[in-house]
Amino acid sequence: MTAVGGRRAKPLLWTRFGVLLLFGVIFLIPIYVLLVTSFKPLTEADPGQAWNLPQTWTAEAWRVAWEKLAPGLWNSVLLAVPGSLLSCALGSMNGYVLSKWRFPGADVLFTLFLFGMFIPYQGVMIPLVQLLVWLNEATGLQGVFYGGIPGLVLAHVVYGIPICTLIFRNYYVTIPDELIEASRVDGAGLLRTYWSIVLPVSGPAFAVVIIWQFTSLWNDFLFAVFLTGPQSWPTTVMLNNIAGAQATPYSQQMAAAILASIPTMVIYVLLGRFFMRGLMAGALKG
Amino acid sequence: MRRWLTAVSITMVSVLGLAACGGGGGGQATQSPAAGGGGKQQVEVFSWWTGPGEADGLAEMRKIFEQQNPNYTFFDAAVAGGSGDKAKALLQSKLQASQPPDTFQGHAGAELQGYIKAGNLEDLTFLYDELKLKDVFPAQLVEQISVEGKIYSVPVNIHRSNVLWFNPSVLKEAGVAAAPKTIDEFVAALEKVKAKGKIPLSIGSEWTVTHLLESVLLGSLGTDAYNALFKPGANWNSPEVTKALESFAKIMSYAGDPQDDWQPAAKQVADGQAAFNVMGDWAYGYFHNPPEGGLGKKSKTDFDWAPAPGTEGTYLWLSDSFTLPKGAKNREGAIAWLKVAASKEGQDAFNPKKGSIPARKDADQALYTDYLADALKDWSSDKLAGSIQHGVAVNQPWLAAINEQVGLFIGSKDVKALQQGLADAATANAQ
Amino acid sequence: MRRARTWLPGLLLVTPSIVAIGVFVYGMLGWNFQLAMTDKHDQVSEGQFVGLQNFIDIWDQPRWHLSVNHTIVFTVVFVLGALLLGWLLAFLMEKGIKGEGTFRAIYLFPMAISFVATGIVWRWLMNSGTGERAVGLNRLFDWLGLPQWQWFRDQDWGMAAMALPAIWQMSGYVMALFLAGFRGVPEELREAARVDGCTEWGVYRHVVLPMLRPVTLSALIILGHISLKVFDLIVAVSGKQIITDVPAVFMWVAVFDSNDPAKGATIASYIVVSVAIFVIPYLIWSVRAERRTVRPESGSLRGQRGPSERDHEQERRS
């Protein structure tokens, strides 16, 4: 980080700080409400008392929410970890080829890939289900493609290809061609060059893709509810069953919402610095 | 096409090999229900019962089912979301992909028409004959859920839609002596409450307004004219319907700020902020049950009820029912479930928890107290009319069109456009 | 043209992705468009080809006009709001400030949370009760002496309120993009401008801001396409109500409630087309711009330069 302060007068600095702080507080408002409501007993968990701190603090809602949500959390891990790693692998290879090992029509192909980012998924849900069911039958693996986590991973990885390719490609463009060329002269092929030159410097781009994909896999509801079954439901579907059920106490809904969000928030805190670094290194610049 | 797809699938499988390895235990956890191990066969029961009360009722029926059928295990595939929105969407994709659950919940009546037309459901007449169900369900109910002489579902419970909930002390304060019996009385009472500065009528999201509309239509037109609206060629452009819709617009002009859903709207009545609310009788459980799924209010003092204005003597009903999809993996298991759902024992286990009454006439009356006792009495004597919002009178596309018109009306307040829209919806969808 | 032996391995490596995108994106788009051109208005009919009839008919429906208007209001407020707020936050932080890491984390974290999770809070916060019955933000506004309003239930400007949660979620991301952009401006350039006699404001005006243009454009594209497809947020906060109807929700209703596949496919096609109208020129432009600057002699891998230099060159040309 290049901190070039000092040039400006103190009052201006404090104004800046003050404005940032104000927005910080505004950004945290929904979280404040989520948190305090989740610790309230039933009688206090009501929109009318949204701003009040609990008069009696209780973790009862958290206990119930945890009980209801736990199976989904594990399913989400099984979904989001392999899913985001696979996305990284595919995106990295695509990005590498499309930036450093071009073939005729590579630009057109890249443009065609990118367009995939923009289709509305609700519109493809019915044929997608049919395709996955057909894959179940064609492969003889019942409950894998349709009704299982692998199918959901497949959908996410495929629809994630455009954005992941974009991020890696834009990042790899910044690697000097001389390095690649030198490796070639040494007789290294496509994969060796990737392994020895490109992969070692890919950290920031991986961080951006992992954050992006992990978040969207973890938070996705639409694919999850259509493509999986009750045993393989991830967190969001379970959360919907808690929050969407008529007359579930608000404190439980909010505790469950926080629980469901903890893993992604942890990822942001842990990888946030790398995320910024990746953005600065040109990823997602378009 | 097929060969090409095979090529694609092989590529996919190679990609997915990785995912499956990474997935670890996922493979076992995602076995399809029918393949459940150990000689016991699973029966996948699809519903939207996940909330307090309804989920408890389902659990009670499940106990009975598993007791009576030791070789089956019950597999609960419930998806929550406002009266089954998400569940229904998911169900459609499953049915279109020929992956039906063994049995699924649906509102009895026209809501099932789409599935019937698409050939998704088996005719259950054989089950009705075997169990002599036509003798234990009210004749008018059997008539209203029959399609061309066939019956495609087993109703488990009955809810009432045309209930006017009110706060007795707010009424007293406003000088309203008793629950209004006619629509004119209702409007007069609303005006009195308004003068006192309270919310005359609380409403929730847009579907609760359609819910209100059906009670106003019934109250204004009368039972026979209301029921006739859903026959082919019905006249929605009649002056009677105009009058009913004008009353509806008048009543809506007393509505408070829309709440998120029916519960916060009902709560406004319970808390004394609002005087009236028209909602189905599932609101009783919400008012009455102790906290953890209810408000713990005292009936008759904190809240009270009456038939919606102008609808006394008519039961505007809806019913949750179970079906037998064609191509169910475990057809025998599904039939075993339907038998429990149809039985006196099953219905008496389910309904007190759910806060509804059994569809059967021979229920154990001792189990139903307070509001439910009233409901049971009315059910056996009242005329019947089918709910619009809850899938009895109109099929799903028709309901979607009605909801659209009501939503547009809330913005435009244009009665003429509403009537025209409703008439067009009827022409396009009545059958 | 290089020999196939040099580029073939690369092509092979991306083949699985090509196949997957071909099937899942273009196959599905084709299926969808073909369905939109039939009269398959229920589950059972076969569907005869009717050309663009559905695309014309839908303009007769008041609901369609409403949902298009809603999308326009939402898009304008959301895209401008997120861009301006993200820019402002990045601008304030650009020169480094105490606790920058914490601020960044706070602004970014909404991106981590799904609307399935926060929808319930936003419903509370944007409750439409006013006066004595004010709860949520209206209560807060009451305390602060600000005017209360109906939020997303406002008949005319409800969609502007609906954009608030979206701005909350995405402006941190825009901030990160801009911050990266600000910091990508080499200090030497600023210094050079100062030496030339530019004021601090002049440095921004003539050096920094022009260099942010590519970042602004990609932020615009990303926000714009999110906006045109918006679905989760609306359903989580308001459900399927007409008052906040947008094409994506209308499509959901058409497919799953109205059982009208052709109508759903028509709406989906309109969404795709509306996105395509501004995305395709952008994609073509950016690929071309890059080709001109990055690879002067086509087919060669040489002569490629770093991104900041490249952007700068683009700016000088334009």
Side-chain angles (χ1 to χ4, degrees), chain B residues 92 96 206 260 404 411, chain C residues 43 63 153 241-243 259:
Chain B
Q92 273 218 18
Q96 283 191 36
E206 285 170 8
D260 283 336
E404 183 174 315
Chain C
Q43 298 300 351
R63 178 176 187 166
R153 292 204 177 83
Q241 304 191 71
I242 302 289
I243 187 148
N259 295 348

Side-chain angles (χ1 to χ4, degrees), chain C residues 79-99:
Chain C
V79 173
L80 282 183
L83 272 182
L84 288 178
L85 183 56
W87 185 87
L88 176 71
L89 296 175
F91 177 74
L92 293 173
M93 274 199 273
E94 188 236 329
K95 298 218 157 166
I97 196 150
K98 205 180 285 174

Side-chain angles (χ1 to χ4, degrees), chain B residues 46-48 88 91 104-109 111-112 115 153-155 319-323 390:
Chain B
F46 187 93
S47 74
W48 55 84
K88 281 178 207 164
L91 184 63
F104 64 84
Q105 175 193 3
H107 287 130
E111 183 178 294
L112 299 175
Y115 306 124
S153 72
V154 174
S319 163
D320 294 303
S321 68
F322 280 98
T323 58
H390 307 282

Side-chain angles (χ1 to χ4, degrees), chain A residues 1-5 7-8 13 16-17 19-21 23-24 27-31 33-34 37 45-48 50-51 90 93-94 97 99-104 107 109-124 126-128 131 154 158-159 161-162 169 173-174 177-178 181 184 190-191 212 215 219 221-222 226 236 239-240 250 253-254 257 261 264-265 268 273 275-276 279-280 284-286, chain C residues 1-2 6-7 9-11 13-14 17-18 20-21 23-26 28-29 31-32 85 88-89 92-93 95-98 100 103-104 106-114 116-117 120-122 124-125 135-137 139-140 143 168 171 173 176-177 179-180 183 191 194 200 204 214-215 218 221-222 225 229 231 248 251-252 255-256 268 271-272 275-276 279-280 282-283 287 290-291 295 301-302 304 307 310-311:
Chain A
M1 310 288 112
T2 48
V4 194
R7 220 175 265 272
R8 304 216 156 196
L13 185 78
R16 283 200 290 143
F17 191 80
V19 175
L20 286 172
L21 197 65
F23 276 108
F27 269 69
L28 288 174
I29 284 178
I31 299 306
V33 175
L34 272 173
T37 310
D46 173 87
W51 304 110
L90 276 181
M93 289 193 296
N94 291 341
V97 170
S99 62
K100 296 296 176 202
W101 218 277
R102 288 158 183 278
F103 46 86
D107 284 341
L109 189 77
F110 179 56
T111 313
L112 287 175
F113 268 30
L114 286 193
F115 192 65
M117 266 164 72
F118 304 111
I119 65 170
Y121 299 134
Q122 308 91 306
V124 301
I126 287 176
L128 183 62
L131 181 68
L154 172 71
V158 169
Y159 287 110
I161 286 176
R169 182 187 168 283
V173 162
T174 65
D177 281 329
E178 288 73 18
E181 213 53 30
R184 265 192 194 182
L190 174 83
L191 291 174
W212 193 279
T215 313
N219 286 342
F221 175 77
L222 198 61
F226 275 88
T236 42
L239 177 64
N240 171 67
Y250 284 122
Q253 299 187 16
M254 305 232 176
S261 315
T264 43
M265 301 225 286
Y268 266 73
R273 251 169 350 122
F275 187 63
M276 286 298 297
L279 288 181
M280 273 180 236
L284 270 185
K285 231 176 183 183
Chain C
M1 176 99 351
R2 285 173 292 135
T6 40
W7 56 256
L11 183 58
L13 200 59
V14 293
S17 299
I18 296 176
I21 294 283
V23 174
F24 283 82
V25 174
Y26 290 94
M28 301 284 178
L29 277 178
W31 172 90
N32 181 69
L85 183 56
L88 176 71
L89 296 175
L92 293 173
M93 274 199 273
K95 298 218 157 166
I97 196 150
K98 205 180 285 174
E100 184 188 314
F103 280 130
R104 275 200 328 237
I106 289 175
Y107 301 142
L108 266 180
F109 87 89
M111 261 188 93
I113 309 179
S114 69
V116 178
I120 172 88
V121 187
W122 282 108
W124 275 31
L125 291 176
V135 297
L137 288 175
R139 174 77 66 87
L140 195 67
W143 288 334
W168 175 76
S171 55
Y173 171 71
L177 275 183
L179 198 54
R183 301 235 162 110
E191 209 47 61
R194 287 191 196 106
E200 209 43 34
Y204 271 107
V215 178
S218 41
I221 295 297
I222 288 171
H225 100 269
K229 291 199 304 189
F231 176 74
M251 172 175 74
W252 174 272
V255 173
F256 295 112
I271 298 176
V272 172
V275 172
V279 165
I280 288 181
Y282 164 77
L283 292 178
V287 168
E290 192 179 274
R291 195 179 300 167
R295 294 185 298 143
L301 286 165
R302 295 203 154 266
Q304 199 159 300
R310 196 177 84 225
D311 291 342

Side-chain angles (χ1 to χ4, degrees), chain C residues 153-197:
Chain C
R153 292 204 177 83
D154 186 282
Q155 284 296 343
D156 300 317
W157 295 105
M159 288 311 285
M162 201 50 121
L164 291 183
I167 294 174
W168 175 76
Q169 191 178 47
M170 288 309 290
S171 55
Y173 171 71
V174 178
M175 179 248 356
L177 275 183
F178 275 126
L179 198 54
F182 275 123
R183 301 235 162 110
V185 179
E187 186 57 23
E188 306 86 69
L189 273 179
R190 300 193 192 204
E191 209 47 61
R194 287 191 196 106
V195 170
D196 286 350

Side-chain angles (χ1 to χ4, degrees), chain C residues 11 15 19 52 57 70 89 109 112 144 168 184 188-189 244 255 263 266 271 287 307 309 311 314:
Chain C
L11 183 58
T15 299
V19 172
L52 295 176
D57 287 349
H70 283 165
L89 296 175
F109 87 89
L144 297 173
W168 175 76
E188 306 86 69
L189 273 179
T244 52
V255 173
K263 187 165 156 191
T266 305
I271 298 176
V287 168
E309 236 175 312
D311 291 342
Q314 283 173 14

Side-chain angles (χ1 to χ4, degrees), chain A residues 29-54:
Chain A
I29 284 178
I31 299 306
Y32 168 80
V33 175
L34 272 173
L35 265 177
V36 297
T37 310
S38 72
F39 284 109
K40 285 176 182 175
L42 291 162
T43 44
E44 290 178 50
D46 173 87
Q49 303 176 41
W51 304 110
N52 305 357
L53 285 172

